């Protein structure tokens, strides 16, 4: 794994997981109220989203959602005096992602195919489009993997709501973060293994270029439609 890849993986983990957890438990150890510690620890990913939007001079929908979500949940928590309102915001993001993944199943291309477009270049883009049109197995694989991500995100959201409402407030941030990471890791492993099996069976990659046998497999695809 090169430095750029490690940075792409570690920076989001630090900003969205490690730093908020560290800030929360440090503040609690210093005697801060639960709602104050939750609010201040949540400012880190929200501030990062705002700074990223400013630097790029482009507002990403998910970054904007994080900022709006924090603002709304902070206001509701201040009014109600209940820190569990701030905990519920952690269920909103996976819920939104799960619903978005679900929505793409009814679009022209599901989310995993759209993700693959970011990895493909040149002829691989055309070959992927052709595989989508002519190979039912290719379409089914992408829809199946997208469904997997729908289930993972909605399960995360459901568990997060239950934990926020029933568990002691101080344990929810830790459990919730590791729960989310675990479900994402499981979905990634299943996605990677499924992609490898598909390529071994059909000679075509779901997310990138497919190697020497891919074009021949595509030539045979119309006979299977």
């Amino acid at each position: 794994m090169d430095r750029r890849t490690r940075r792409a993986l570690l920076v989001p983990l630090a900003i969205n997981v490690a730093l908020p957890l560290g800030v929360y438990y440090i503040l609690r150890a210093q005697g801060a109220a639960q709602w104050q510690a939750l609010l201040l620890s949540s400012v880190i990913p929200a501030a990062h989203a705002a700074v990223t939007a400013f630097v790029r001079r482009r507002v990403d929908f998910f970054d904007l959602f994080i900022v709006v979500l924090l603002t709304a949940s902070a206001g509701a928590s201040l009014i109600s005096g209940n820190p569990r309102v701030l905990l519920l915001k952690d269920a909103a993001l996976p819920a939104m992602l799960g619903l978005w993944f679900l929505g793409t199943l009814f679009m022209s291309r599901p989310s995993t195919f759209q993700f693959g477009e970011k990895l493909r270049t040149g002829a691989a883009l055309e070959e992927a489009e052709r595989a989508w049109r002519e190979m039912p197995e290719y379409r089914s694989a992408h829809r199946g993997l997208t469904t997997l991500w729908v289930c993972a995100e909605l399960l995360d959201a459901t568990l997060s709501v239950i934990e926020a409402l029933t568990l002691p407030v101080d344990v929810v941030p830790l459990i919730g973060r590791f729960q989310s990471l675990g479900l994402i890791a499981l979905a990634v492993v299943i996605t990677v293994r499924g992609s490898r099996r598909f390529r071994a069976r059909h000679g075509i990659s779901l997310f990138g270029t497919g190697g020497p046998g891919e074009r021949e497999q595509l030539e045979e695809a119309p006979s299977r439609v």
Side-chain angles (χ1 to χ4, degrees), residues 27-175:
L27 289 173
R28 288 292 291 146
Q30 296 298 316
Q34 291 173 331
W35 71 269
Q36 290 175 324
L38 286 169
L39 179 59
L40 291 174
S41 64
S42 299
V43 166
I44 296 172
H48 177 261
V51 170
T52 300
F54 177 79
V55 171
R56 293 178 179 174
R57 299 180 183 275
R58 177 175 56 86
V59 179
D60 183 82
F61 174 77
F62 289 104
D63 290 341
L64 178 63
F65 180 78
I66 290 173
V67 175
V68 171
L69 184 62
L70 173 62
T71 304
S73 59
S77 180
L78 287 172
I79 293 172
S80 66
N82 189 348
R84 293 188 185 276
V85 175
L86 280 166
L87 291 176
L88 286 171
K89 73 176 175 50
D90 292 330
L93 186 58
M96 186 195 68
L97 286 171
L99 292 174
W100 180 77
F101 290 145
L102 179 63
T104 65
L105 289 172
F106 302 95
M107 297 168 62
S108 59
R109 302 291 189 271
S111 60
T112 55
F113 185 92
Q114 295 176 31
F115 173 76
E117 288 182 331
K118 302 179 184 298
L119 305 178
R120 304 180 191 108
T121 56
L125 287 169
E126 298 177 4
E127 291 173 339
E129 285 293 336
R130 184 176 175 188
W132 178 265
R133 292 193 306 269
E134 299 178 354
M135 288 189 67
E137 301 95 336
Y138 190 85
R139 296 192 295 269
S140 295
H142 273 295
R143 289 186 177 119
L145 290 177
T146 297
T147 300
L148 165 70
W149 282 92
V150 170
C151 294
E153 293 297 335
L154 293 184
L155 176 60
D156 188 14
T158 301
L159 292 175
S160 296
V161 169
I162 295 172
E163 292 156 4
L165 296 177
T166 61
L167 295 180
V169 171
D170 283 333
V171 304
V172 174
L174 184 63
I175 292 175

